[in-house]
Amino acid sequence: MEATESIGVSGRLALLWKKNTITYTGYVKMHHWMAGKIKAINRDTEFIIINVYGPITTDKKKAVWSEINHFLTDLKAPHYIIGGDFNTILHQSEKIGGAKIMRQSQKDFIEWVDNNYLLEIKTDKSSHTWNNRRSGFSNISEILDRFFFKGDLISFQVEMKASILPWSRSDHFPVLLELIGEVKTIGRPFKFENM
């Protein structure tokens, strides 16, 4: 397990893995994100993981996106997985209830995702990952927790599966990312028929 210190009354970032499956080398530990290299034992799989806990305010979110941008630019690794609670949605369809306004933090988040060519690893259910636990018209649900992949999927050769786990005491549903074996390529050549 690798973890950061808690932020006030909020939780902290933690990275957990099955024993004897990977080695982890930590690179950066900040208040709102941490990064390290994961190397699978008995396989060639290797990538940089960035765990994110998005701040609440727009200015702090923008600062975190900027810090991660600098890290991505400086490191230049072939594969990244970036995940966590980003505390903002990408699209209005990811929110039920509350005001339907596109806020500046959402625009900044969309720009950050686009500029870094991030590919979202969709969950097995298209469910919301956060709920304010209120009832009736006061209830709001959003997709705040997610995983992204950055890099060359063909050379990564690992199947990635994100699943939303059952609700606990938190206002967030936990999201599990599984890396399942190596992707098997089919040795069928590409054929073209001129017509």
Side-chain angles (χ1 to χ4, degrees), residues 53-54 56 84-88 128-133 142-146 164-175:
Y53 176 55
I56 301 297
D85 172 7
F86 291 91
N87 254 323
T88 191
H128 296 91
T129 62
W130 174 84
N131 186 288
N132 67 356
R133 295 188 145 193
E142 297 178 330
I143 299 175
L144 301 179
D145 310 87
R146 59 183 83 227
I164 298 173
L165 301 179
W167 209 354
S168 60
R169 293 180 180 179
S170 171
D171 53 356
H172 289 262
F173 286 86
V175 182

Short mmCIF file of all heavy atoms in Angstrom, two decimals, residues 53-54 56 84-88 128-133 142-146 164-175:
data_model
loop_
_atom_site.label_atom_id
_atom_site.label_comp_id
_atom_site.label_asym_id
_atom_site.label_seq_id
_atom_site.Cartn_x
_atom_site.Cartn_y
_atom_site.Cartn_z
N TYR A 53 -7.04 13.19 -6.21
CA TYR A 53 -8.17 13.62 -5.37
C TYR A 53 -8.39 15.09 -5.69
O TYR A 53 -7.71 15.97 -5.17
CB TYR A 53 -7.86 13.40 -3.89
CG TYR A 53 -8.94 13.92 -2.97
CD1 TYR A 53 -10.26 13.51 -3.12
CD2 TYR A 53 -8.65 14.83 -1.97
CE1 TYR A 53 -11.26 13.98 -2.29
CE2 TYR A 53 -9.64 15.30 -1.13
CZ TYR A 53 -10.95 14.87 -1.30
OH TYR A 53 -11.94 15.35 -0.48
N GLY A 54 -9.32 15.36 -6.58
CA GLY A 54 -9.55 16.73 -7.07
C GLY A 54 -10.02 17.67 -5.98
O GLY A 54 -10.91 17.32 -5.21
N ILE A 56 -11.86 21.07 -4.31
CA ILE A 56 -13.22 21.58 -4.47
C ILE A 56 -13.23 22.86 -5.30
O ILE A 56 -14.06 23.02 -6.17
CB ILE A 56 -13.86 21.87 -3.07
CG1 ILE A 56 -13.89 20.59 -2.23
CG2 ILE A 56 -15.24 22.45 -3.23
CD1 ILE A 56 -14.75 19.48 -2.78
N GLY A 84 -9.07 8.45 -10.11
CA GLY A 84 -9.43 8.93 -8.78
C GLY A 84 -10.70 9.74 -8.79
O GLY A 84 -11.53 9.64 -9.71
N ASP A 85 -10.85 10.57 -7.77
CA ASP A 85 -12.00 11.47 -7.61
C ASP A 85 -11.58 12.82 -8.17
O ASP A 85 -10.83 13.55 -7.54
CB ASP A 85 -12.37 11.56 -6.13
CG ASP A 85 -13.43 12.61 -5.84
OD1 ASP A 85 -14.00 13.19 -6.80
OD2 ASP A 85 -13.68 12.88 -4.65
N PHE A 86 -12.08 13.15 -9.36
CA PHE A 86 -11.70 14.41 -10.01
C PHE A 86 -12.56 15.58 -9.56
O PHE A 86 -12.29 16.73 -9.90
CB PHE A 86 -11.74 14.24 -11.53
CG PHE A 86 -10.66 13.33 -12.04
CD1 PHE A 86 -10.89 11.98 -12.17
CD2 PHE A 86 -9.41 13.82 -12.36
CE1 PHE A 86 -9.89 11.12 -12.61
CE2 PHE A 86 -8.40 12.98 -12.80
CZ PHE A 86 -8.64 11.63 -12.94
N ASN A 87 -13.62 15.31 -8.82
CA ASN A 87 -14.51 16.34 -8.28
C ASN A 87 -15.09 17.26 -9.34
O ASN A 87 -15.37 18.43 -9.06
CB ASN A 87 -13.82 17.15 -7.18
CG ASN A 87 -14.33 16.77 -5.81
OD1 ASN A 87 -15.52 16.49 -5.65
ND2 ASN A 87 -13.44 16.72 -4.84
N THR A 88 -15.27 16.75 -10.53
CA THR A 88 -15.98 17.48 -11.59
C THR A 88 -16.42 16.49 -12.65
O THR A 88 -15.88 15.39 -12.75
CB THR A 88 -15.09 18.59 -12.20
OG1 THR A 88 -15.89 19.43 -13.03
CG2 THR A 88 -13.94 18.04 -12.99
N HIS A 128 -23.61 6.53 -11.71
CA HIS A 128 -22.95 7.65 -11.08
C HIS A 128 -22.10 7.14 -9.92
O HIS A 128 -22.44 6.13 -9.30
CB HIS A 128 -24.01 8.65 -10.60
CG HIS A 128 -24.77 9.23 -11.75
ND1 HIS A 128 -25.93 8.67 -12.22
CD2 HIS A 128 -24.51 10.28 -12.54
CE1 HIS A 128 -26.35 9.37 -13.26
NE2 HIS A 128 -25.52 10.34 -13.47
N THR A 129 -21.01 7.82 -9.65
CA THR A 129 -20.09 7.35 -8.61
C THR A 129 -20.18 8.17 -7.32
O THR A 129 -19.54 7.83 -6.35
CB THR A 129 -18.64 7.40 -9.13
OG1 THR A 129 -18.30 8.75 -9.45
CG2 THR A 129 -18.47 6.51 -10.36
N TRP A 130 -20.96 9.24 -7.36
CA TRP A 130 -21.14 10.08 -6.16
C TRP A 130 -22.60 10.42 -6.02
O TRP A 130 -23.30 10.64 -7.01
CB TRP A 130 -20.31 11.36 -6.28
CG TRP A 130 -20.56 12.33 -5.17
CD1 TRP A 130 -19.98 12.34 -3.94
CD2 TRP A 130 -21.47 13.43 -5.17
NE1 TRP A 130 -20.46 13.37 -3.17
CE2 TRP A 130 -21.39 14.06 -3.92
CE3 TRP A 130 -22.35 13.95 -6.11
CZ2 TRP A 130 -22.15 15.18 -3.59
CZ3 TRP A 130 -23.11 15.06 -5.78
CH2 TRP A 130 -23.00 15.67 -4.53
N ASN A 131 -23.07 10.46 -4.76
CA ASN A 131 -24.45 10.84 -4.48
C ASN A 131 -24.46 11.62 -3.18
O ASN A 131 -23.82 11.22 -2.21
CB ASN A 131 -25.33 9.59 -4.37
CG ASN A 131 -26.78 9.93 -4.23
OD1 ASN A 131 -27.22 10.41 -3.20
ND2 ASN A 131 -27.55 9.68 -5.29
N ASN A 132 -25.20 12.74 -3.15
CA ASN A 132 -25.21 13.56 -1.94
C ASN A 132 -26.07 12.97 -0.82
O ASN A 132 -26.18 13.56 0.26
CB ASN A 132 -25.63 15.00 -2.25
CG ASN A 132 -27.08 15.12 -2.70
OD1 ASN A 132 -27.79 14.13 -2.87
ND2 ASN A 132 -27.52 16.34 -2.92
N ARG A 133 -26.69 11.83 -1.07
CA ARG A 133 -27.46 11.07 -0.07
C ARG A 133 -28.65 11.84 0.48
O ARG A 133 -29.06 11.65 1.62
CB ARG A 133 -26.57 10.60 1.06
CG ARG A 133 -25.53 9.61 0.60
CD ARG A 133 -24.79 9.02 1.76
NE ARG A 133 -24.49 7.64 1.42
CZ ARG A 133 -24.07 6.74 2.26
NH1 ARG A 133 -23.88 7.06 3.51
NH2 ARG A 133 -23.83 5.52 1.88
N GLU A 142 -23.59 12.28 -9.52
CA GLU A 142 -22.65 12.66 -10.57
C GLU A 142 -21.60 11.58 -10.78
O GLU A 142 -21.36 10.77 -9.89
CB GLU A 142 -21.93 13.98 -10.20
CG GLU A 142 -22.84 15.16 -10.07
CD GLU A 142 -22.11 16.43 -9.65
OE1 GLU A 142 -21.09 16.34 -8.95
OE2 GLU A 142 -22.57 17.51 -10.03
N ILE A 143 -20.98 11.59 -11.95
CA ILE A 143 -19.82 10.73 -12.21
C ILE A 143 -18.58 11.58 -11.94
O ILE A 143 -18.20 12.42 -12.75
CB ILE A 143 -19.82 10.19 -13.66
CG1 ILE A 143 -21.07 9.35 -13.89
CG2 ILE A 143 -18.55 9.39 -13.92
CD1 ILE A 143 -21.24 8.87 -15.32
N LEU A 144 -18.00 11.41 -10.76
CA LEU A 144 -16.81 12.17 -10.36
C LEU A 144 -15.55 11.31 -10.35
O LEU A 144 -14.44 11.83 -10.44
CB LEU A 144 -17.01 12.77 -8.96
CG LEU A 144 -18.20 13.71 -8.77
CD1 LEU A 144 -18.25 14.19 -7.31
CD2 LEU A 144 -18.13 14.88 -9.72
N ASP A 145 -15.73 10.01 -10.21
CA ASP A 145 -14.60 9.08 -10.06
C ASP A 145 -14.44 8.29 -11.36
O ASP A 145 -15.41 7.73 -11.87
CB ASP A 145 -14.87 8.11 -8.90
CG ASP A 145 -15.30 8.85 -7.65
OD1 ASP A 145 -16.51 9.12 -7.49
OD2 ASP A 145 -14.42 9.18 -6.85
N ARG A 146 -13.21 8.25 -11.87
CA ARG A 146 -12.98 7.58 -13.16
C ARG A 146 -11.51 7.29 -13.36
O ARG A 146 -10.67 7.77 -12.60
CB ARG A 146 -13.51 8.45 -14.31
CG ARG A 146 -12.86 9.82 -14.37
CD ARG A 146 -13.45 10.69 -15.48
NE ARG A 146 -14.66 11.34 -15.07
CZ ARG A 146 -15.79 11.37 -15.78
NH1 ARG A 146 -15.87 10.79 -16.94
NH2 ARG A 146 -16.84 12.00 -15.35
N ILE A 164 -17.71 -0.47 -10.80
CA ILE A 164 -18.22 0.27 -9.64
C ILE A 164 -18.62 -0.76 -8.59
O ILE A 164 -19.42 -1.66 -8.86
CB ILE A 164 -19.41 1.16 -10.04
CG1 ILE A 164 -18.96 2.20 -11.06
CG2 ILE A 164 -20.01 1.84 -8.82
CD1 ILE A 164 -20.07 3.04 -11.65
N LEU A 165 -18.05 -0.63 -7.41
CA LEU A 165 -18.30 -1.58 -6.32
C LEU A 165 -19.49 -1.13 -5.48
O LEU A 165 -19.92 0.02 -5.56
CB LEU A 165 -17.05 -1.69 -5.45
CG LEU A 165 -15.78 -2.17 -6.17
CD1 LEU A 165 -14.61 -2.22 -5.21
CD2 LEU A 165 -15.99 -3.52 -6.83
N PRO A 166 -20.02 -2.02 -4.63
CA PRO A 166 -21.18 -1.65 -3.80
C PRO A 166 -20.88 -0.46 -2.89
O PRO A 166 -19.75 -0.25 -2.46
CB PRO A 166 -21.44 -2.91 -2.98
CG PRO A 166 -20.83 -4.01 -3.78
CD PRO A 166 -19.65 -3.41 -4.48
N TRP A 167 -21.92 0.27 -2.59
CA TRP A 167 -21.85 1.47 -1.77
C TRP A 167 -21.47 1.13 -0.34
O TRP A 167 -21.92 0.15 0.23
CB TRP A 167 -23.21 2.13 -1.77
CG TRP A 167 -23.19 3.61 -1.59
CD1 TRP A 167 -22.13 4.41 -1.32
CD2 TRP A 167 -24.31 4.47 -1.70
NE1 TRP A 167 -22.51 5.72 -1.25
CE2 TRP A 167 -23.87 5.79 -1.48
CE3 TRP A 167 -25.65 4.28 -1.96
CZ2 TRP A 167 -24.70 6.89 -1.51
CZ3 TRP A 167 -26.49 5.38 -2.00
CH2 TRP A 167 -26.01 6.67 -1.77
N SER A 168 -20.62 1.96 0.26
CA SER A 168 -20.28 1.79 1.67
C SER A 168 -20.81 3.01 2.42
O SER A 168 -21.81 3.58 2.06
CB SER A 168 -18.77 1.64 1.81
OG SER A 168 -18.12 2.79 1.31
N ARG A 169 -20.11 3.47 3.42
CA ARG A 169 -20.57 4.62 4.21
C ARG A 169 -20.26 5.96 3.56
O ARG A 169 -20.77 6.98 3.95
CB ARG A 169 -19.95 4.58 5.59
CG ARG A 169 -20.43 3.41 6.40
CD ARG A 169 -19.79 3.39 7.75
NE ARG A 169 -20.29 2.24 8.50
CZ ARG A 169 -19.90 1.95 9.69
NH1 ARG A 169 -19.01 2.68 10.31
NH2 ARG A 169 -20.40 0.90 10.30
N SER A 170 -19.40 5.95 2.58
CA SER A 170 -18.99 7.19 1.90
C SER A 170 -20.11 7.69 0.99
O SER A 170 -21.05 6.96 0.67
CB SER A 170 -17.74 6.90 1.07
OG SER A 170 -17.43 8.00 0.24
N ASP A 171 -19.99 8.94 0.54
CA ASP A 171 -20.93 9.45 -0.47
C ASP A 171 -20.45 9.08 -1.88
O ASP A 171 -21.09 9.41 -2.86
CB ASP A 171 -21.14 10.96 -0.32
CG ASP A 171 -19.86 11.76 -0.31
OD1 ASP A 171 -18.76 11.17 -0.35
OD2 ASP A 171 -19.94 13.00 -0.26
N HIS A 172 -19.31 8.39 -1.98
CA HIS A 172 -18.77 7.90 -3.25
C HIS A 172 -18.90 6.38 -3.31
O HIS A 172 -18.71 5.70 -2.31
CB HIS A 172 -17.28 8.24 -3.39
CG HIS A 172 -17.02 9.69 -3.63
ND1 HIS A 172 -16.82 10.22 -4.87
CD2 HIS A 172 -16.94 10.73 -2.75
CE1 HIS A 172 -16.60 11.52 -4.77
NE2 HIS A 172 -16.68 11.85 -3.50
N PHE A 173 -19.17 5.87 -4.51
CA PHE A 173 -19.06 4.44 -4.75
C PHE A 173 -17.59 4.18 -5.08
O PHE A 173 -17.00 4.90 -5.87
CB PHE A 173 -19.89 4.03 -5.97
CG PHE A 173 -21.38 4.00 -5.72
CD1 PHE A 173 -22.14 5.15 -5.86
CD2 PHE A 173 -22.00 2.82 -5.37
CE1 PHE A 173 -23.50 5.13 -5.65
CE2 PHE A 173 -23.37 2.79 -5.17
CZ PHE A 173 -24.12 3.95 -5.30
N PRO A 174 -16.98 3.13 -4.53
CA PRO A 174 -15.60 2.83 -4.91
C PRO A 174 -15.57 2.33 -6.36
O PRO A 174 -16.48 1.65 -6.82
CB PRO A 174 -15.19 1.71 -3.95
CG PRO A 174 -16.35 1.44 -3.07
CD PRO A 174 -17.51 2.26 -3.51
N VAL A 175 -14.51 2.68 -7.07
CA VAL A 175 -14.31 2.22 -8.45
C VAL A 175 -13.02 1.40 -8.47
O VAL A 175 -11.97 1.88 -8.05
CB VAL A 175 -14.24 3.40 -9.45
CG1 VAL A 175 -14.08 2.87 -10.86
CG2 VAL A 175 -15.48 4.27 -9.34
#
